[in-house]
Amino acid sequence: MISFYTYENGKVVQSEKLSDGCWISVVDPSPEEARDLVEDFGLDNGFVKSCIDEEESSRIEREDDQTLIIIDAPVSSVDDDKTRNFYTMPMGIIITEKYVFTISLKETQVIKEAERGGIRNLRPSFKTRFVLQILLRIAGLFLTYLKQIDKISSAAEQELHDAMKNELLMQLLALEKSLVYFSTSLKANEGTIEKIHRGRVLKLYEEDQDLLEDVLIEMKQAIEMASIYTGILSSMMDGFSSVISNNLNIVMWRLTIVTILMQIPNIIFALYGINTVDLPIPYTWFPITLAAVLTLIAAAILYKWKKK
């Protein structure tokens, strides 16, 4: 889907017609729409293909009068088993002389906020500032999702203290995988923003320097938070693995005690059940009493041994 947006009355609004300095939002383009972007708008075919490649890594590239910025944007989703996942998806920004394009396979949270005017003073005609504001919101969204991961992991930890549940363990594993995705994407994004900061590929204006510095600070903070949360979650998973292993040992110990105690009566009844003469006190009450006494003695010994 291709949509046009312009800046009117202090906010971004959707427009029915194309005009210079507008923002063209492209979400999940069909093959026909991708071809139109190349033929009608003159976009580089390789740039368009890179924007809709879900395996594309973050980078910045310039070709003739077009600049391509691939940035990884965070995405949150919930599976059918109610497990919340966080991952990243590449989003392409193409800057031309007249327009600025955003191209992605799915409508991300950043695009939704920009389309409904959730990003203040977002002016597509100021292309460099537009790009930096999008990057700043992406960095902020990373921080928001990282805080959500921390809250979810803390809640799951508290519930796991009360009862071990496979659903909670699967949620923690999903969060651990999400942090790996975030850390990888954030480091790639940092490299792209560093290249923008050098000013060799994207033209920078003096009034945009502070905004670019904010983007770098937010991205570095997100990288640090992702690293901290990864270490915490990894330690937590190791701790719960030890708890599960210890619980298994306790269960096996109890089953072993029950097995030992049940074997004592079986051995005595088996001896008195065979046709053998000269057994001591060959009366029914004796093997029953002997089995009960030996079982109690064995139980007391095992109980004292366990306490040591």
Side-chain angles (χ1 to χ4, degrees):
M1 183 177 67
I2 301 177
S3 305
F4 308 130
Y5 293 89
T6 59
Y7 184 80
E8 296 179 5
N9 300 324
K11 62 179 181 179
V12 172
V13 294
Q14 189 169 1
S15 176
E16 296 295 332
K17 59 181 181 178
L18 188 64
S19 60
D20 289 351
C22 76
W23 163 37
I24 303 176
S25 174
V26 184
V27 178
D28 190 19
S30 63
E32 292 77 14
E33 290 175 332
R35 185 172 59 252
D36 291 340
L37 291 174
V38 176
E39 295 177 356
D40 297 343
F41 296 98
L43 295 185
D44 185 272
N45 186 48
F47 284 1
V48 175
K49 289 183 178 180
S50 297
C51 292
I52 57 178
D53 183 3
E54 60 182 358
E55 301 298 330
E56 196 70 33
S57 58
S58 179
R59 73 178 195 276
I60 183 170
E61 185 178 343
R62 185 172 180 83
E63 187 70 32
D64 296 331
D65 59 345
Q66 299 180 18
T67 302
L68 169 67
I69 300 173
I70 300 290
I71 200 77
D72 289 329
V75 180
S76 174
S77 65
V78 180
D79 292 343
D80 295 334
D81 58 356
K82 296 182 179 180
T83 299
R84 179 166 290 278
N85 293 297
F86 298 89
Y87 59 96
T88 59
M89 183 181 65
M91 184 181 75
I93 303 174
I94 301 178
I95 304 171
T96 65
E97 291 184 358
K98 294 184 177 181
Y99 317 113
V100 57
F101 297 79
T102 58
I103 307 175
S104 60
L105 287 173
K106 296 181 182 178
E107 189 175 31
T108 63
Q109 182 67 24
V110 176
I111 296 299
K112 290 179 181 178
E113 292 181 6
E115 289 176 345
R116 64 170 181 257
I119 303 177
R120 296 179 57 187
N121 299 321
L122 188 66
R123 299 189 180 187
S125 57
F126 298 164
K127 301 181 182 63
T128 300
R129 191 169 187 82
F130 176 89
V131 171
L132 294 179
Q133 286 178 293
I134 293 293
L135 296 180
L136 181 61
R137 186 65 195 103
I138 289 175
L141 197 59
F142 268 113
L143 292 173
T144 300
Y145 284 163
L146 284 169
K147 291 177 182 177
Q148 290 183 14
I149 289 175
D150 183 49
K151 290 182 179 179
I152 295 172
S153 62
S154 298
E157 180 185 8
Q158 186 60 41
E159 291 186 38
L160 282 171
H161 279 302
D162 301 330
M164 289 290 178
K165 296 180 181 179
N166 290 336
E167 294 82 1
L168 296 174
L169 292 174
M170 293 302 298
Q171 177 66 84
L172 289 177
L173 287 173
L175 294 179
E176 192 173 25
K177 183 171 66 174
S178 299
L179 286 172
V180 173
Y181 291 151
F182 274 19
S183 298
T184 304
S185 296
L186 282 168
K187 290 178 181 178
N189 287 350
E190 183 187 24
T192 300
I193 296 171
E194 290 284 359
K195 290 182 179 179
I196 295 175
H197 189 262
R198 298 189 189 106
R200 298 177 182 175
V201 181
L202 184 65
K203 184 178 180 181
L204 296 175
Y205 299 91
E206 185 177 353
E207 57 270 19
D208 295 329
Q209 289 296 330
D210 291 340
L211 184 58
L212 182 56
E213 291 293 336
D214 291 340
V215 175
L216 276 172
I217 291 172
E218 292 276 295
M219 201 64 70
K220 290 180 183 296
Q221 185 179 355
I223 292 173
E224 185 177 354
M225 286 180 62
S227 177
I228 293 172
Y229 291 159
T230 299
I232 292 174
L233 196 56
S234 179
S235 299
M236 187 191 306
M237 293 300 295
D238 291 341
F240 281 119
S241 297
S242 300
V243 171
I244 293 172
S245 178
N246 185 56
N247 290 342
L248 179 61
N249 291 336
I250 293 174
V251 172
M252 295 302 297
W253 167 252
R254 290 174 179 173
L255 290 175
T256 302
I257 291 176
V258 172
T259 303
I260 293 173
L261 295 179
M262 290 182 64
Q263 286 300 318
I264 295 175
N266 287 336
I267 294 173
I268 294 175
F269 294 155
L271 288 174
Y272 277 85
I274 60 179
N275 296 323
T276 304
V277 296
D278 299 330
L279 286 174
I281 314 177
Y283 299 104
T284 304
W285 61 269
F286 179 74
I288 296 176
T289 304
L290 180 62
V293 171
L294 292 178
T295 301
L296 290 174
I297 293 173
I301 293 173
L302 291 173
Y303 178 77
K304 291 182 178 180
W305 185 24
K306 178 185 177 183
K307 293 187 70 174
K308 292 181 179 179

